[in-house]
Amino acid sequence: MEGERLASGSSELAVGESPRGGAPIPGGSGSCSLLQADVLDLDEDEDDLEVFSKDASLMDMNSFSPMMPTSPLSMINQVKFEDEQDLKDLFITVDAPESHVTTIETFITYRIITKTSRGEFDSSEFEVRRRYQDFLWLKGRLEEAHPTLIIPPLPEKFIVKGMVERFNDDFIETRRKALHKFLNRIADHPTLTFNEDFKVFLTAQAWELSSYKKQGPGLLSRMGQTVRAVASSMRGVRNRPDEFTEMNNFIETFSQKINLIDKISQRIYKEERDYLDEMKEYGPIHTVWSASEEDLVDTLKGIASCIDQCCKATEKRMSGLSEVLLPVVHEYVLYSEMLMGVMKRRDQIQTELDSKVEALTYRKADADLLTEEIGKLEDKVECANNALKADWERWKQKMQNDLKSAFTDTAEENIRYYEQCLATWESFLTSQTDLPLEEDSEDKI
Amino acid sequence: MEQTPPDPERPLQPAPLEPLGGHGAVLEAAGEETQGTREDSSGVDTMTGNNFWLKKIEISVSEAEKRTGRNAMNMQETYTAYLIETRSVGHADGQSVLTDSLWRRYSEFELLRNYLLVYYPHIVVPPLPEKRAEFVWHKLSADNMDPDFVERRRIGLENFLLRVASHPVLCRDKIFYLFLTQEGNWKETVNETGFQLKADSRLKALNATFRVKNPDKRFTELKHYSDELQSVISHLLRVRARVADRLYGVYKVHGNYGRVFSEWSAIEKEMGDGLQSAGHHMDVYASSIDDILEDEEHYADQLKEYLFYAEALRAVCRKHELMQYDLETAAQDLASKKQQCEELATGTVRTFSLKGMTTKLFGQEAPEQREARVKVLEEQIGEGEQQLKSKNLESREFVKNAWADIERFKEQKNRDLKEALISYAVMQISMCKKGIQVWTNAKECFSKM
């Protein structure tokens, strides 16, 4: 019985857990983190900047923070997830979905409440309403600004099965939980948390957001970028460093496996639900039978009651699955897609550099101009690579923790399920085998 | 009813054989009386039967074998033959000695049972295991040649023989004795009893069921009970099969984790070992369902036996209705003859009759003719009264004996069903314990990842 079921997020998926909180990691990943001055001594390091270009046009355009020189890998050892809780200064909740009907369309908005102690925010509390489109916009902006950072996944746009159920309650609730997770993951990300678009998303009123959205690079230039991107990806990357090839291989295998696990887990949920349905019919038959058997009433009713208890335990087991394992696994399915996108973008950036280098060998006339461009691109590539490397380590660690914890919880849930059922049947057995003697007398017919 | 010495191949614990003078003593009188309905030669034979059963015996259907042979139409066919072994156990040393061993096929068992049904209509005759696999869930094949089905049938046939052998009345039957001891010629012997001719026609029985006016209320209630029993057990078995199917699905899908975890562990440095061993436990979990469901299949067989017993109960009720209807018809006949006689004797015509009409139209008949007719009627009345008396007696005997066996059956049923239901709980407990163990192991592996 292979799990060949749909992989997309069906409405029974519920994203229930809130991510572990995290403030920017002291000296954490990436080259563009804001670090509070008292955490890390900046002044001495500034002269040793390596990984670092002052040309903002090639770097993170939307971060208003001075960039920090860090050798990301050396900082990894200082990463302590426990510290993140204490340093968290941005709290976001997504709730209260509401339906909006206009002449053109119907859509759902979600309320987003932000509480923060950060100085950059004008106030300490914000409440706004956003629709899915706005989340998509934010994600796009983050990807543009940080092409090689691992952006948290958004819940899917459509559910493959049952498009008609776009506004059904389960679907909305599942999506809400996923959106909540999405924003919180961004808030926990050492670099993304300080992204300007993110701030605007959290704080601007509806009309403000609309006009802000229009400010971005024009449609044409975006198209131009896309064309270049497609062209370069078709040419392929020639000089991919080994570590990224390794990373790519990992991502491919991981993606395969996590997709399978997603299918298997969903199939298990379905089989458990079918099992529950049959059990619900099975129990009462014993009660019906007890009506025609004088001497077996207790035994039969006892069994009916045990089966009923087991049904309840099964329901609990199923809800554990749908609230813990399924959402986490599915999130990593989306992450794996995201990662493949990240790898592509990294490759694109490198290809840009490679093609310019190649051009240099042919077009001696423009040597100076090209050399300057190459210099910038080299910086860009290095920055992108380092950003990815650091974020990769961070992501991998989180992935292992999340999946380990989800599976451990599932195992625990299953243990509890069997323990409950065991207790039920054992107490039934005791009641049956300790019956007083008159029940067994042969005089009773 | 005591237990036979444990047979390792037999998970069911049906009522075993017991020596005469034990539990069967209560029904001995009834048993001997009913033997009056059998052929005269039975006198000698039952003596033989009695002596045979003085020792404790063990019966087992120990093997099943596929065979090919030629059937009645001289066509080749494949069938399964079952080896029946009978051992006598000496009182003193408890050692068993093989006394008889022969092969029988299912159709011969059917023949035996049909014979018993005809000659012991007041007995709730133990049922045979099902002819074809029913209430299957997807894993079991419905094929009669499937080894699992054959094995379960072997157990069912053994159970049947043990039930018959431990029945205080049936155990003394000569044909049953020969079934266990005389391989060749047994079929001819059974057919020679002419039991098929003695069987009540289905049509007759149906007719009686509809027309009987005053059946014993207990039998009417019993009929309703057996209908309910059949209906509820069928429903239970159907749903149980579906539950089994679903449970199988849950367990087996987990097995997929095993393979995927193993492949995933290849790319993970720190998590690799934990994943790999967790995957192994998922495989263990997935394969544990096979044994669990096999055990449950035996439980289903125990319930099935009582599903088929419901039909045996109904057969006894039908016989009662038939006899009662017969009695009522005879009584009615007699009453109308008496009335006719009276009318002729006194010359009064109280009821409409053709004779009366023709008398009116064509004139009265001569006194000699009338007297002749009265004499004939009086003779018939006399005979009728005799018949009615003996029919009445027969009917009362039947009711008494049948009800005695029904009481015995009820006790057996309560005991057996309770035991089966409790064994179901035991199975569930074992399944839960296995589950706890596997998932505890898996959890440890996950937490070490």
Side-chain angles (χ1 to χ4, degrees), chain B residues 127-159:
Chain B
L128 284 173
E130 56 193 353
K131 200 163 179 145
R132 262 163 281 278
E134 274 179 63
F135 305 109
V136 289
W137 56 282
H138 88 285
K139 185 197 162 205
L140 282 181
S141 126
D143 169 26
N144 283 4
M145 288 298 172
D146 175 63
D148 283 333
F149 178 75
V150 168
E151 172 60 16
R152 285 177 30 241
R153 186 187 256 191
R154 183 193 66 74
I155 293 169
L157 292 173
E158 190 178 271
N159 188 49

Side-chain angles (χ1 to χ4, degrees), chain A residues 257 265 293 412 418 445, chain B residues 225 251 257 263 285 413 443:
Chain A
K257 302 313 160 195
S265 308
E293 299 286 346
E412 177 62 42
Y418 280 113
I445 301 296
Chain B
Y225 169 76
Y251 274 74
Y257 276 144
E263 289 166 5
Y285 182 66
K413 169 208 40 126
K443 182 181 168 195

